[in-house]
Amino acid sequence: MTASDLLDASFKGLPLHAAVTLDDLGSQGWNIRRGDTSTPVAVLRDAALDANLDVMRRFCATAGVSIAPHAKTTMSPQLIARQLAAGVWGLTAALPAQVRMLWSFGACRVLMANELTDPAALRWLARELAAHPERELLCYVDSLDGVRLAEQAFAEADTVLPVLIELGHAAGRTGVRDRETALAVAEAAAAAPHLAVAGVAGYEGTIGHDRTPETIARVDAFLTDLRDLAAALADRGLFAPDREPIASAGGSSFFERVAQILGPLTADGIRVVLRSGCYLTHDNGQYATLTPSTRPEWTLPPFQAALEVWTRVVSRPEPGLALLNAGRRDLSHDAGLPIPLTAWRDTTDTAIDLDEGAHISALSDQHTFLRIDPDSPLAVGDLVALGVSHPCMTLDRWRLFLLVNEDYDVIGGARTYF
């Protein structure tokens, strides 16, 4: 054992005396509700993770689509291993450094859902792919300049990079904005000796952050354009003949629309690949609102929020206000403030009722402002569990998450590498 193998109090949430390996976390006898850890402490409910993996696996099987979950959500080898074991088609990354990490985590196929234009990164990746034929990388192109940069780097290594023609939308992120440009980029990539047109891709999640009929109509229109682009490339013979083409889209909000609208492409031999990432941990805010798993037409179990941050009440300075010892350094707040879930008194091992109107009104760096009924029994020293909105921005604030069972016994851990 080396010092780098030890988890100690430099990992938020561990007891101050901790000196334990990841593998030994589950044998320490710690319980969150009993107060055996430091606070704040971030936990993942193990049963919820398993349930979410199973729901997404069943959805993909029923819909006839594949999934390459966006691993930037967790960047955790332990959680990614569970996704790989669930039979995912591949993993998705956003940056070259993430591609390298995912390969080191054991992934073979990585879809980089972004343009790859860094010459140094292109050259390094080309060399790695040439040296490791068992590895596969696909990335986006949306410009002739992007085609040129990728061709130059992969020509030096004398290997081939599969690329996806990315379609964007007005006021969105990357991606060509019209069909004519998409066809021009595809023709240039198909003509490049060291590139292969492997399919099309897009992202519908930036079109809207609600499920109003108007937003769904705009999502559907964009996905229809993406489907038509895939058909156009197939008709022109631009897909590489030696590989199965793919059409990829789908975050964690509208993936059922992706399956419905892109699904018919499978009849023409085009694999549909979702890139949802937040389904694994889910949340109590943004995705709890947007997930298709709460829609009336959904026939599988709903996704469950697996991620919680447990805090302590450090002050009751005013009637109706409790200050908790977590803040912006610990909790996401870009898509809504945290949600109080439950309160617990570890000294008596009993639940404390939170009034119906209890809510978070603000965060500072290290404090959460919990508004409660002035007569609330919540006291200084009590534990309060918080759910989050947009789990990505909580996950990247923690190097370690404790895995817990439904009694909040610590049964393991998951490291993150952001």
Side-chain angles (χ1 to χ4, degrees), residues 61 72 110 244 373:
K72 74 172 175 63
V110 178
E244 178 188 46
D373 188 282

Side-chain angles (χ1 to χ4, degrees), residues 391-410:
C392 300
M393 304 307 290
T394 295
L395 285 155
D396 70 3
R397 285 166 163 79
W398 295 80
R399 293 191 295 152
L400 174 69
F401 288 80
L402 299 183
L403 296 175
V404 298
N405 62 20
E406 294 303 279
D407 292 323
Y408 288 87
D409 299 310
V410 176

Side-chain angles (χ1 to χ4, degrees), residues 160-407:
V160 174
L161 175 66
V163 297
L164 305 176
I165 310 305
E166 186 190 10
L167 181 67
H169 61 84
R173 302 190 303 207
T174 52
V176 298
R177 296 303 199 252
D178 59 80
R179 178 188 176 99
E180 291 71 23
T181 305
L183 292 173
V185 172
E187 289 168 355
H194 298 90
L195 302 183
V197 178
V200 300
Y203 180 55
E204 76 294 342
T206 46
I207 291 174
H209 299 288
D210 55 54
R211 293 190 69 94
T212 62
E214 294 77 15
T215 295
I216 295 298
R218 288 189 289 124
V219 167
D220 288 357
F222 171 73
L223 294 171
T224 299
D225 288 344
L226 186 63
R227 183 187 66 199
D228 292 347
L229 176 61
L233 298 190
D235 290 344
R236 287 165 170 76
L238 293 175
F239 288 141
D242 58 346
R243 60 180 300 119
E244 178 188 46
I246 72 168
S248 178
S252 295
S253 299
F254 305 111
F255 60 84
E256 93 287 7
R257 309 306 306 155
V258 175
Q260 179 170 327
I261 293 174
L262 299 190
L265 291 171
T266 60
D268 298 319
I270 299 174
R271 181 184 294 269
V272 176
V273 179
L274 306 179
R275 302 191 308 276
S276 316
C278 291
Y279 75 92
L280 179 60
T281 64
H282 200 52
D283 72 4
N284 294 98
Q286 174 176 319
Y287 291 109
T289 301
L290 293 177
T291 177
S293 76
T294 59
R295 308 299 297 170
E297 61 271 19
W298 185 264
T299 59
L300 295 170
F303 292 109
Q304 303 176 34
L307 172 57
E308 299 173 0
V309 176
W310 282 67
T311 67
R312 278 201 189 270
V313 179
V314 293
S315 181
R316 288 284 315 264
E318 304 169 9
L321 174 64
L323 274 298
L324 313 178
N325 65 343
R328 287 189 292 253
R329 294 176 180 268
D330 312 295
L331 298 157
S332 51
H333 49 90
D334 60 308
L337 292 171
I339 301 93
L341 302 175
T342 188
W344 199 266
R345 185 162 294 160
D346 54 337
T347 56
T348 57
D349 198 26
T350 55
I352 305 298
D353 288 335
L354 287 175
D355 54 278
E356 188 174 332
H359 67 281
I360 306 303
S361 63
L363 298 176
S364 61
D365 280 0
Q366 302 286 186
H367 293 94
T368 294
F369 292 72
L370 172 62
R371 301 293 174 174
I372 51 178
D373 188 282
D375 297 324
S376 171
L378 190 69
V380 169
D382 287 342
L383 292 163
V384 177
L386 302 176
V388 302
S389 181
H390 193 196
C392 300
M393 304 307 290
T394 295
L395 285 155
D396 70 3
R397 285 166 163 79
W398 295 80
R399 293 191 295 152
L400 174 69
F401 288 80
L402 299 183
L403 296 175
V404 298
N405 62 20
E406 294 303 279
D407 292 323

Side-chain angles (χ1 to χ4, degrees), residues 70-73 75 92-105 110 112 417-418:
H70 215 319
K72 74 172 175 63
T73 301
M75 287 304 291
T92 298
L95 297 170
Q98 293 173 358
V99 173
R100 180 174 183 169
M101 292 299 297
L102 296 184
W103 282 340
S104 75
F105 293 167
V110 178
M112 188 176 134
Y417 294 86
F418 288 100

